[in-house]
Amino acid sequence: MPRTLSSSLVLSATAYLFKPFLRLGLKNVQVNGLPFLLDALRERPEGRKGVVTVCNHNSVMDDPLAWCTMPMSTFFPFASPTTTSRNSRWTLGARDIMFTNSAFSKFFELGQVISTERGGGIFQPAIDQAIQLLQNGEWIHIFPEGKVNQKSSNPEGGLLRFKWGIGRIVMDSEIMPDIIPMWISGFDQVMPEPRNFPRFLPRPGGSISINFGPPLTPRIRPLVEAWKDIASKQSGTVGVGGRWEEPSPSGPSGETQRLIRSQGRLANGQEEAVRIEITQALQEGVRELGEQVEREEGRYERGEWCQSRRRIQ
């Protein structure tokens, strides 16, 4: 069975498993702004322009439940498994939680989850793979907080600091992806932390919302272009494959960028500064969407998530 068909079957089975819970097990499910994502997926030219979705992390059920709200044509594998795979997200998952044995590893691999070493840094193979998938025109979904964020562990509320890996994924993509912000709420009712037996079953009766905002690409693009300009000016002094490479109008290749980094050519921490600024801008975009959603839900006025304006320290 081809890999794309196997992945499509796993993704389809997961969607069919959780859709009844959405319809019968929850009091209310709201989905707002989904056309922002669907348009980005439809408008990708064949080739190397990818899509990135960036979302807060509310529970361990965020990923399967959120994507069950997509049209079923997204998951139906038999007409065109290649198209199905292309319109289904890839995401990063913690190796020590999701890839703990051979059965889990195979399931999550076919479910388009990239095994990620927590604490492994932003230059680990998982980040490289995510960047390469974007170059192939795929869709990458990221929870940049890096862990579940609920009031039990974060009573002050607000987003946790975004991990810098998302900054590297965006800035090292040779073609700027479409970046769609997301904000989800209520998933902590479905899978609260901590929870008693049965730990692995979702709790019925809650209300959830899944919200997509306008693309963040216009506010991120100038930062990425500034970075490419910096790297391009220095790429003429870095040897690649035994030759010297002249700066390119579109910026240096990924290999050149890595050589620039490894040889310490970017003075005064310029690359790190740009990466931090991109990460902050992405967090700001998700935070703004979250505030808008919470105002509309009435939670913001009641003082919940009162620290949601807190920025990265």
Side-chain angles (χ1 to χ4, degrees):
M1 182 180 295
R3 169 67 185 277
T4 52
L5 180 56
S6 299
S7 293
S8 296
L9 288 171
V10 168
L11 294 165
S12 301
T14 303
Y16 282 114
L17 176 66
F18 283 102
K19 267 189 177 291
F21 179 77
L22 284 181
R23 294 179 178 177
L24 303 176
L26 298 176
K27 288 192 301 184
N28 187 35
V29 178
Q30 294 188 24
V31 181
N32 303 303
L34 182 57
F36 288 121
L37 174 60
L38 297 180
D39 289 347
L41 293 174
R42 293 191 193 104
E43 292 170 4
R44 286 175 298 171
E46 289 296 331
R48 301 167 62 201
K49 184 179 181 181
V51 174
V52 177
T53 44
V54 187
C55 187
N56 63 313
H57 202 359
N58 205 201
S59 81
V60 296
M61 292 296 295
D62 294 352
D63 186 81
L65 281 185
W67 303 129
C68 284
T69 61
M70 298 281 285
M72 285 310 297
S73 58
T74 303
F75 305 102
F76 193 69
F78 301 108
S80 178
T82 302
T83 302
T84 301
S85 178
R86 177 174 159 84
N87 287 331
S88 299
R89 63 92 191 100
W90 289 81
T91 191
L92 280 68
R95 183 178 304 168
D96 61 331
I97 295 178
M98 305 175 76
F99 294 82
T100 54
N101 58 53
S102 58
F104 283 0
S105 296
K106 189 63 175 179
F107 173 79
F108 287 116
E109 178 186 352
L110 291 176
Q112 298 185 177
V113 179
I114 303 169
S115 177
T116 308
E117 187 71 36
R118 291 203 284 189
I122 64 172
F123 298 111
Q124 63 175 292
I127 305 297
D128 293 336
Q129 184 179 350
I131 294 169
Q132 185 57 57
L133 285 165
L134 276 182
Q135 307 314 324
N136 295 336
E138 299 288 343
W139 164 22
I140 304 293
H141 178 70
I142 307 288
F143 295 107
E145 293 175 281
K147 62 180 180 180
V148 169
N149 180 7
Q150 295 186 5
K151 287 188 177 180
S152 58
S153 58
N154 182 24
E156 292 184 345
L159 290 169
L160 303 176
R161 181 182 68 82
F162 277 16
K163 304 297 185 182
W164 291 352
I166 181 60
R168 191 204 154 199
I169 287 171
V170 171
M171 69 190 292
D172 278 11
S173 298
E174 293 182 13
I175 295 179
M176 185 72 187
D178 284 327
I179 305 170
I180 308 297
M182 290 179 59
W183 186 267
I184 58 176
S185 62
F187 287 71
D188 52 342
Q189 303 171 34
V190 178
M191 289 296 262
E193 301 286 350
R195 59 188 177 275
N196 298 321
F197 180 84
R199 283 189 53 80
F200 297 104
L201 291 181
R203 276 50 174 171
S207 298
I208 66 172
S209 72
I210 302 133
N211 305 273
F212 301 86
L216 297 177
T217 314
R219 75 166 72 180
I220 302 300
R221 187 185 301 276
L223 301 174
V224 174
E225 290 178 348
W227 147 245
K228 288 188 174 183
D229 183 61
I230 292 170
S232 181
K233 289 176 181 177
Q234 298 200 30
S235 65
T237 63
V238 179
V240 179
R243 60 184 172 80
W244 296 97
E245 184 169 288
E246 292 297 324
S248 165
S250 62
S253 66
E255 182 180 3
T256 301
Q257 291 184 26
R258 284 190 290 275
L259 281 168
I260 292 172
R261 283 195 295 265
S262 66
Q263 296 183 20
R265 298 285 182 146
L266 286 177
N268 303 318
Q270 288 171 302
E271 183 199 7
E272 180 176 318
V274 173
R275 186 165 57 245
I276 292 172
E277 191 172 2
I278 289 172
T279 304
Q280 288 181 329
L282 290 169
Q283 177 156 358
E284 186 76 0
V286 173
R287 180 195 64 77
E288 290 172 0
L289 176 61
E291 287 189 352
Q292 176 186 340
V293 169
E294 290 177 355
R295 281 194 297 269
E296 293 171 354
E297 291 177 349
R299 299 168 63 195
Y300 189 82
E301 285 78 5
R302 295 199 302 268
E304 297 184 24
W305 288 78
C306 59
Q307 298 296 318
S308 63
R309 287 186 176 274
R310 187 174 54 187
R311 297 177 63 90
I312 301 174
Q313 301 298 317

